[in-house]
Amino acid sequence: MFLKQYYLGCLAHASYLLADEASQTAIVVDPQRDIQQYLADAERLNTKIRHVFLTHFHADFIAGHLELRDRCGSDIRLGARAQAEYPFVAMKDGDTLEFPGLRLQVLETPGHTIESISILVFDLAKDRDKPYAVLTGDTLFIGDVGRPDLRASLGWTAKDLGSHLYDSLHDKLMHLPEETLVYPAHGAGSLCGKKLSSDTVSTLGDQLRNNYALQPMTKEEFIRLVTADQPDAPAYFTYDAILNTRERPTLDQTLRQSLQPIELDEVLAMGDAGAQLLDVRDSAEYAKGHIAGSINIGLGGQYATWAGTLLDRAKPIVIIAEPGREEEAALRLGRIGFDHVKGYLRDGMGALAERQDLVWSTERVSAAMLAEDLASQTPPLVIDIRMPGEWNARHLSDSVNIPLTHLQEHIAEIPRTRKLAIHCAGGYRSSIAVSILNQYGITNVIELAGGITAWEAAKYPVIAPPLP
């Protein structure tokens, strides 16, 4: 038996390839949409990918099940409660796939979604009766469990799914042998839970001892606990969950359409007509010079998540990138189903060498410069665009907290006659925020380079709750 985890850091997503070399069979579970790594490993093992499982209809990325089906002829296997446009094999509780050295057994584990399944993995050369591992999808994470509130728009209440989740954990997963390895579909940074560990594998025994959601409690207490204080779910989550149920173009097809160079004049015309000009360069480069009206979401951070959160799915996207990085930008958008990229600016910002009248810059200041500004007779208003929990932990005196996820909702409340100082933790999100403010004509703005991290490193004071 062969089992490999693939971890995609920018989406905090884990997928898996299992192989039985005796039967030359490989199985992929919860694949990302760009599938080349699975194909390469299957070929190296002299196996063929014959089956692809989705543990549930993922909300934060588009899975690669159709890509594997079309490339390898793999069948698609989903939980018995799943409904989809494409043909699939419905796997109910206890259904198995068995090979000479490997057995997979499905457990229906609804809760995060109604169609969620977990997959028991038996290494038959070691033990035919006890599972070696369990692939838990988003039912059980390392340190957390799947949030049950993401399907409200599709008719499932958090209370109903929370009740299912409690039963799935207490009646099924928590009864597995403690040495069973737990392999989830997401890790720290995912918005599919609130306390996910940075570890990507654990044992059930460790989770029974250390996972807050697996401690003794009533079902009602569990539901209250797992539904409280969940992070905001981006609007694209429902879009992706639905798209994962549908027949759609493959990633290769969409990239062939989107990787088209566009001349500057046409890009400007498209922007005037409502297209989104997405500048994916580093925030420091964006600050030096960018096309007026563009939005900066850099490839160096949680690019796909923020693009999915802030960009409009109904408006075309034109990418502005350093030459050579256009494909990466389009590919990572494709991973979340943002296939409405119309092309990229030929030569990137080099296309504006003779058009400096179209180039804006952002004033980035050091912590010392901001401190001096704040001590002046006309101090700027400090807007902290981090999440409320971050702000409550520590913040600059007299700062106002407007999370980036809600910035556009509060645009009307932001003063236009006063200088603004924008910051986040390290500078990634603040650059996005400044670009959004500029789009709304708010330009008397400075940005704290390095965010509150730089402020504290320079030994300037912050407001923090007293130590217990």
Side-chain angles (χ1 to χ4, degrees), residues 195-217:
K195 292 186 177 181
L196 283 73
S197 170
S198 58
D199 294 336
T200 61
V201 62
S202 180
T203 64
L204 181 64
D206 283 344
Q207 292 310 296
L208 291 172
R209 288 183 287 273
N210 301 318
N211 190 319
Y212 78 96
L214 302 188
Q215 303 314 303
M217 68 187 82

Side-chain angles (χ1 to χ4, degrees), residues 24 32 36 68 87 93 102 124-126 145 265 295 309 316 328 337 397 414 423 425 428 446 449 453 460:
Q24 297 183 314
Q32 62 192 63
Q36 190 56 45
L68 286 169
D93 210 62
L102 169 68
L124 300 183
K126 294 181 178 179
V145 293
D265 288 345
I295 182 170
T309 300
E328 178 189 354
S397 177
I414 295 174
H423 83 84
Y428 182 83
I446 59 175
T453 302
Y460 290 108

Side-chain angles (χ1 to χ4, degrees), residues 5-15 32 34 37-38 60-61 185-191 196-200 236 299-306 328 332 335-336 428:
Q5 181 187 71
Y6 305 80
Y7 196 77
L8 182 62
C10 62
L11 290 175
H13 161 227
S15 56
Q32 62 192 63
D34 43 320
Q37 59 191 343
Y38 314 118
D60 60 324
F61 70 95
H186 286 96
S190 168
L191 297 176
L196 283 73
S197 170
S198 58
D199 294 336
T200 61
Y236 82 94
L299 290 171
Q302 288 187 300
Y303 165 74
T305 298
W306 281 114
E328 178 189 354
R332 290 171 64 181
R335 286 176 178 159
I336 61 166
Y428 182 83

Side-chain angles (χ1 to χ4, degrees), residues 364-376:
R364 304 183 94 211
V365 300
S366 67
M369 294 167 67
L370 178 58
E372 183 178 344
D373 228 359
L374 291 173
S376 70

Side-chain angles (χ1 to χ4, degrees), residues 72-288:
C72 305
S74 315
D75 65 27
I76 298 170
R77 293 177 180 254
L78 308 173
R81 297 198 193 192
Q83 297 180 356
E85 290 181 355
Y86 43 81
F88 67 91
V89 179
M91 302 294 286
K92 63 182 184 299
D93 210 62
D95 282 352
T96 61
L97 279 177
E98 186 155 344
F99 310 97
L102 169 68
R103 183 195 311 132
L104 304 181
Q105 181 178 336
V106 166
L107 299 178
E108 291 187 70
T109 51
H112 178 64
T113 71
I114 197 62
E115 78 284 350
S116 288
I117 58 173
S118 298
I119 304 170
L120 297 177
V121 180
F122 292 83
D123 184 345
L124 300 183
K126 294 181 178 179
D127 195 321
R128 298 191 63 88
D129 300 317
K130 288 185 178 181
Y132 167 76
V134 58
L135 309 183
T136 55
D138 283 11
T139 300
L140 173 61
F141 297 126
I142 311 304
D144 203 352
V145 293
R147 60 191 293 182
D149 62 329
L150 293 181
R151 292 296 188 270
S153 61
L154 301 179
W156 291 96
T157 69
K159 183 177 180 180
D160 287 341
L161 287 177
S163 177
H164 283 297
L165 182 60
Y166 182 90
D167 292 340
S168 295
L169 294 167
H170 286 260
D171 296 345
K172 295 180 181 178
L173 292 178
M174 292 170 66
H175 291 284
L176 296 174
E178 289 199 10
E179 63 269 25
T180 307
L181 294 175
V182 175
Y183 285 103
H186 286 96
S190 168
L191 297 176
C192 294
K194 57 184 176 181
K195 292 186 177 181
L196 283 73
S197 170
S198 58
D199 294 336
T200 61
V201 62
S202 180
T203 64
L204 181 64
D206 283 344
Q207 292 310 296
L208 291 172
R209 288 183 287 273
N210 301 318
N211 190 319
Y212 78 96
L214 302 188
Q215 303 314 303
M217 68 187 82
T218 67
K219 182 180 287 190
E220 290 70 26
E221 290 170 332
F222 174 85
I223 293 171
R224 284 196 298 272
L225 186 64
V226 300
T227 55
D229 302 320
Q230 290 288 0
D232 289 344
Y236 82 94
F237 272 27
T238 298
Y239 169 78
D240 276 14
I242 293 173
L243 194 55
N244 275 320
T245 72
R246 292 182 173 166
E247 195 71 54
R248 52 157 177 79
T250 63
L251 181 61
D252 286 345
Q253 292 171 323
T254 61
L255 288 180
R256 282 196 295 271
Q257 296 172 359
S258 60
L259 289 173
Q260 303 295 326
I262 305 175
E263 302 297 335
L264 175 61
D265 288 345
E266 186 177 351
V267 168
L268 297 174
M270 292 173 72
D272 290 342
Q276 301 167 101
L277 307 184
L278 174 61
D279 192 319
V280 303
R281 295 175 300 144
D282 175 83
S283 57
E285 291 303 311
Y286 182 81
K288 292 177 185 176

Side-chain angles (χ1 to χ4, degrees), residues 315-330:
K315 295 180 179 179
I317 296 170
V318 178
I319 291 169
I320 302 168
E322 294 174 347
R325 302 200 72 182
E326 301 90 354
E327 183 173 359
E328 178 189 354

Side-chain angles (χ1 to χ4, degrees), residues 17-67:
L17 184 141
L18 301 107
D20 177 71
E21 296 181 58
S23 63
Q24 297 183 314
T25 298
I27 304 101
V28 180
V29 179
D30 293 331
Q32 62 192 63
R33 199 176 176 194
D34 43 320
I35 60 171
Q36 190 56 45
Q37 59 191 343
Y38 314 118
L39 301 176
D41 281 341
E43 182 178 6
R44 179 176 59 82
L45 294 166
N46 193 31
T47 60
K48 181 177 180 181
I49 300 172
R50 303 181 192 278
H51 311 283
V52 53
F53 281 81
L54 297 190
T55 57
H56 62 289
F57 294 126
H58 297 275
D60 60 324
F61 70 95
I62 299 303
H65 50 302
L66 301 187
E67 282 77 5

